[in-house]
Amino acid sequence: MHGSTGLDDLIDIYAERGFARLFRSLQEIEVRLASVFAAAPKNLFAQPRQQYTSLAVQEKIQELLKDGVYVPEIAKQCQVSKVTVYRERKILSEILKCKAKPDSNSQQPGS
């Protein structure tokens, strides 16, 4: 048949084009960079929370939120911006959500 190549012909074509050298080079690079990849965090884009507000103020904000105090009043009492209070409210709601979720590994009574 005209224009058809067998499997052996394709192997020869790829072998002649330097692919073997390319793959060896990639393997060498992977070995050389293994320690870099091992030391990198699992999520490269996760950033630790910056602590502009002291822990004492954060705890006070969370307590006032739990007590039902309005955001503007909390901001005034703690001498922080309303944005800071909203941020703490979001964090608090995430914490409470996590605590409210039942543990999927624990057995339910009667099962």
Side-chain angles (χ1 to χ4, degrees), residues 5 13-14 20 37 46 50 57 63 67 69 72 78 88 93 97 99 101 106:
T5 57
I13 290 170
Y14 286 115
F37 292 129
Q50 294 181 341
V57 173
E63 286 303 315
D67 292 343
V69 179
C78 297
E88 287 301 321
S93 77
K97 237 187 272 184
K99 286 182 179 179
K101 287 183 182 177
S106 63

Side-chain angles (χ1 to χ4, degrees), residues 41 43-52:
N43 183 350
L44 296 174
F45 303 106
Q47 296 292 319
R49 183 173 171 211
Q50 294 181 341
Q51 299 290 334
Y52 296 116

Side-chain angles (χ1 to χ4, degrees), residues 26 28 41 54 67 88 101-102 107:
L26 289 173
E28 289 175 19
S54 71
D67 292 343
E88 287 301 321
K101 287 183 182 177
Q107 293 291 325

